[in-house]
Amino acid sequence: MGILEISGLCKSFGAKKVLEGLDLDIPEHSVFGFIGKNGSGKTTTMKLILGLMKADAGEIRVAGERVRFGHTDTNRYIGYLPDVPEFYSYMTAAEYLRFCGDITGLPEADIRTRTAELLEAVGLAEEKRRIKGWSRGMKQRLGIAQALLGRPRLLICDEPTSALDPVGRHDILEILRGAREQTTVLFSTHILSDIESVSTDAAFLNGGRIVLSGNIAELRGGMGEHRYEAVFGSAEEAAAAAEHFGLIPYREKLRFPEDRVPDMLRYLADKGTVPLKLERCERSLDELFGEVISV
Amino acid sequence: MRAFSAFLRKELTAQKRTGKLYILAAAAVILGILAPATAKLLPKLLEAVGTEGSGMTITLGEVTAFSSFQQFFGNASMGLIAFLAVEAGILTGEYRSGTLVLALTKGLPRSKVIAAKTLTLVLIWSVFWWISFGISYGFTAFYWSMDTVSHPLFAGFAYWLFGMMMTAVILLFSSFSKGIGGVVGGLAGVYFGYSLLGMIPKLGKYLPVKLTAPDALMKGSEQIGDILPAVIITAAATAAALTAAYIIFGRRSMD
Amino acid sequence: MDNITEYLPLLIPLAVIELALLGYSLYHIFTHTKYKTGSRTVWVIVCLVLSGFIGPILYLALGKEDS
């Protein structure tokens, strides 16, 4: 059983359909990247998971418990970091975390140790000023601290890196990577390199549905059809080889599945054709995303 | 219970640290002093103007405790407006900034949010009003005999109740408005709606706005029984608005 | 004004609070550049013209940024 299971989720705003039957299953202790273009429904999905909006159809379960709109019970398993976190600006970071601990119902002693621990971890331990006047990056760090305070089983981050400078972004990604030991992370992004650097799993959202999801390594490997690529000296050579194997070449390149590798080597030896390059292809997520959304 | 008290404490901290508490305290004291001061000084000033030169004489009724209270309730709307203006954004400000969403996603029930905000407003309005009324009452009793005014305390209570209803209106309109504009519009709409209804002669005595004009009661031409219908209706309207706010807020989409 | 002392209990607190409110509002206006509504000029005029206490309270309620 996954920590988060979503089935057949639908949501529209007026005539605009945002989600049309979204299914998602997130395994525990994964760092799950949720990819989609701007406006594809990532934030909507998160707000539905948090019970902040009402779904038109479908079911969401967090740790096996059903999420009900307007109720906050399932939120006790969740830590949430919105894209632009805002806090009560008249409080200090420590005061804010204490407030969070109180409304979550953490034990008194726990609040004290967790607050110190987390402020240290996000680099805000020395910051005694009130939140008013803090920079975006500092607020993002406090956002992570408050999200992790109650040791949530699921950490949901909405575009956590979108408005940060490269250093801030790297720091946040490192914190998310580190969080994996204690929790499951679901984070949305439209930046594929974020996913490549920290995720273990990913799902592509397009047209209101998940068009592709799974383990990053498996996704990269693809479905086994295009795993090797030979680059020939000319398009003619490629075309001849393609005909032999019943494949379709692309200019002087030919892609073929792994189980045809011995055949290919034999063919090359027989014909005396020397390819310029013969290699296993790593598909970038970029390429993969391009493929799945153009389907 | 702990979540509720934490949220309530946060509300009170906010009132203090954003300076709202001090603004309202100052307004309450001024409002309280202004009425007896005006009652005491205005005739003297007019006298001074009147006797110099022209020989024109201004005749004024004798200044009594009644005049002071009349002045106080005349000014009271300014105090109520100040309170409403300062507090109208108590809930909508949290949608706008997104701070509420974070509290809700921590598992804080929506009902507790509404309850803590209600209690905060009730506390602040009550303290504001009774400080103001108390100061006015004290000065008036110090300068004049209280024989000339009947039921001043009940008059004070009635106006306080009217303020409670307007407080409930803040919460009601906050429960579905996106911003403070909707709340201010709602407050104005309710006030003018009642004022318009008040023009229908038979209806006047049942309307909440009746509670804001206690002159007849203090003069003795009306008794407590005469304004009791308006008191009951105002209390009922307050309860209804709070219940509606509670229900609507529980179902609203937080986007 | 026959006996000014009779009025002092009313006048002193009133004057103190009004001046304090006016002073604080003007101080706040001049130490900030962003307001919830209106501009610096508008608020200075409002505070001075309605200087009894309405102007400063209007500013503190509607002009002063929450912090």
Side-chain angles (χ1 to χ4, degrees):
Chain A
M1 189 189 73
I3 178 77
L4 174 66
E5 297 162 303
I6 300 177
S7 56
L9 195 62
C10 296
K11 174 77 185 172
S12 35
F13 295 105
K16 190 171 171 270
K17 287 183 181 161
V18 179
L19 301 177
E20 302 179 60
L22 180 135
D23 299 301
L24 196 60
D25 198 336
I26 297 186
E28 212 148 349
H29 291 290
S30 53
V31 176
F32 202 101
F34 195 39
I35 318 160
K37 289 182 286 191
N38 286 329
S40 59
K42 300 182 301 270
T43 302
T44 304
T45 307
M46 293 185 164
K47 294 206 161 161
L48 289 167
I49 296 170
L50 292 159
L52 294 171
M53 286 190 205
K54 192 174 167 61
D56 300 335
E59 193 183 71
I60 303 171
R61 284 176 183 277
V62 176
E65 256 178 73
R66 197 175 169 166
V67 174
R68 292 178 302 152
F69 164 69
H71 293 265
T72 44
D73 334 357
T74 44
N75 288 350
R76 68 182 185 277
Y77 300 117
I78 304 177
Y80 172 57
L81 173 65
D83 50 353
V84 187
E86 283 299 334
F87 313 99
Y88 300 112
S89 56
Y90 44 81
M91 289 186 180
T92 64
E95 282 171 337
Y96 188 76
L97 291 183
R98 150 145 308 264
F99 165 74
C100 292
D102 280 337
I103 61 175
T104 322
L106 283 188
E108 187 67 28
D110 224 21
I111 297 179
R112 228 169 293 131
T113 53
R114 282 297 273 170
T115 300
E117 214 172 278
L118 284 164
L119 287 178
E120 188 67 45
V122 298
L124 290 172
E126 300 305 314
E127 188 55 62
K128 305 290 182 216
R129 286 177 301 164
R130 289 185 187 166
I131 297 165
K132 180 187 164 70
W134 280 23
S135 70
R136 270 295 294 272
M138 288 168 76
K139 286 186 186 173
Q140 209 79 15
R141 286 152 186 275
L142 180 58
I144 290 192
Q146 61 82 27
L148 287 172
L149 184 71
R151 298 180 203 278
R153 289 176 62 191
L154 177 62
L155 174 63
I156 297 183
C157 305
D158 192 359
E159 303 260 357
T161 58
S162 63
L164 298 179
D165 57 46
V167 178
R169 179 189 189 114
H170 174 261
D171 290 352
I172 297 291
L173 289 175
E174 280 310 307
I175 294 171
L176 291 186
R177 195 209 305 271
R180 185 188 168 193
E181 322 232 309
Q182 302 131 32
T183 182
T184 306
V185 181
L186 169 65
F187 77 103
S188 70
T189 185
H190 58 272
I191 305 159
L192 286 152
S193 66
D194 284 358
I195 302 269
E196 297 200 296
S197 58
V198 297
S199 300
T200 59
D201 296 75
F204 293 84
L205 179 64
N206 191 50
R209 283 201 180 85
I210 299 294
V211 286
L212 185 66
S213 75
N215 186 276
I216 293 284
E218 283 166 21
L219 287 176
R220 281 209 184 131
M223 301 95 188
E225 281 156 18
H226 299 299
R227 295 200 61 182
Y228 283 77
E229 188 178 71
V231 181
F232 293 92
S234 69
E236 287 72 36
E237 284 178 3
E243 214 185 320
H244 181 84
F245 288 98
L247 295 167
I248 300 155
Y250 176 74
R251 292 192 187 152
E252 55 277 351
K253 292 177 188 163
L254 181 66
R255 287 188 168 184
F256 52 94
E258 192 167 21
D259 57 353
R260 308 294 296 271
V261 173
D263 293 344
M264 178 58 82
L265 292 173
R266 218 165 294 129
Y267 167 85
L268 293 171
D270 290 351
K271 295 277 171 190
T273 311
V274 181
L276 301 180
K277 214 158 107 183
L278 184 63
E279 66 174 6
R280 205 180 121 170
C281 24
E282 283 289 342
R283 294 201 298 179
S284 73
L285 290 176
D286 235 333
E287 208 180 332
L288 195 64
F289 193 36
E291 276 170 40
V292 291
I293 65 168
S294 60
V295 170
Chain B
M1 200 56 213
R2 189 166 146 221
F4 174 76
S5 66
F7 200 77
L8 182 64
R9 207 160 47 238
K10 175 238 119 186
E11 285 297 325
L12 297 175
T13 309
Q15 294 289 334
K16 207 168 73 193
R17 293 197 185 164
T18 55
K20 293 192 163 90
L21 213 55
Y22 305 113
I23 300 170
L24 289 177
V29 175
I30 290 173
L31 196 68
I33 298 176
L34 204 58
T38 314
K40 190 84 184 152
L41 290 173
L42 202 58
K44 298 275 179 200
L45 288 176
L46 290 176
E47 215 170 74
V49 173
T51 48
E52 254 160 55
S54 68
M56 182 177 87
T57 50
I58 298 166
T59 43
L60 284 162
E62 203 200 335
V63 175
T64 59
F66 174 78
S67 342
S68 176
F69 274 109
Q70 191 181 30
Q71 193 71 44
F72 176 74
F73 285 103
N75 295 341
S77 63
M78 280 193 292
L80 181 56
I81 289 171
F83 166 75
L84 296 174
V86 168
E87 301 295 351
I90 190 166
L91 189 49
T92 51
E94 287 213 43
Y95 303 142
R96 198 183 50 130
S97 66
T99 46
L100 186 64
V101 164
L102 275 181
L104 292 178
T105 55
K106 292 235 149 352
L108 180 68
R110 293 185 181 196
S111 56
K112 292 189 179 172
V113 172
I114 272 283
K117 299 262 181 199
T118 307
L119 189 53
T120 305
L121 288 184
V122 166
L123 269 175
I124 289 177
W125 167 244
S126 302
V127 171
F128 174 86
W129 177 253
W130 291 113
I131 283 182
S132 196
F133 185 84
I135 290 173
S136 212
Y137 192 103
F139 276 116
T140 307
F142 174 72
Y143 284 117
W144 298 281
S145 151
M146 292 296 276
D147 296 343
T148 52
V149 56
S150 47
H151 305 304
L153 275 175
F154 193 82
F157 162 77
Y159 205 106
W160 170 80
L161 188 62
F162 182 78
M164 289 289 287
M165 190 200 71
M166 293 309 261
T167 299
V169 171
I170 291 185
L171 290 160
L172 175 59
F173 280 84
S174 297
S175 69
F176 56 82
S177 302
K178 281 209 187 305
I180 193 171
V183 180
V184 172
L187 287 167
V190 167
Y191 186 78
F192 285 114
Y194 278 137
S195 302
L196 278 182
L197 285 175
M199 282 154 63
I200 305 170
K202 288 253 170 64
L203 218 54
K205 68 180 288 208
Y206 298 105
L207 291 175
V209 279
K210 167 95 178 146
L211 304 184
T212 63
D215 285 8
L217 176 73
M218 294 190 301
K219 222 182 289 171
S221 57
E222 271 185 0
Q223 291 308 307
I224 286 180
D226 294 323
I227 58 164
L228 222 45
V231 166
I232 291 165
I233 284 170
T234 307
T238 306
L242 286 178
T243 312
Y246 175 84
I247 293 169
I248 296 169
F249 184 69
R251 296 188 183 161
R252 101 174 249 163
S253 183
M254 300 282 171
D255 44 333
Chain C
M1 295 274 158
D2 32 331
N3 189 3
I4 191 77
T5 50
E6 198 189 336
Y7 303 102
L8 288 182
L10 287 165
L11 293 177
I12 290 172
L14 206 55
V16 166
I17 292 175
E18 286 188 356
L19 285 175
L21 266 179
L22 182 62
Y24 177 72
S25 297
L26 289 175
Y27 168 77
H28 199 278
I29 292 170
F30 283 108
T31 50
H32 288 74
T33 48
K34 272 168 62 190
Y35 312 104
K36 259 193 287 194
T37 51
S39 65
R40 179 174 288 186
T41 332
V42 169
W43 284 120
V44 171
I45 292 170
V46 167
C47 284
L48 291 176
V49 172
L50 301 172
S51 62
F53 69 100
I54 299 173
I57 287 193
L58 278 178
Y59 170 69
L60 296 173
L62 303 174
K64 179 177 171 281
E65 279 277 305
D66 289 341
S67 57

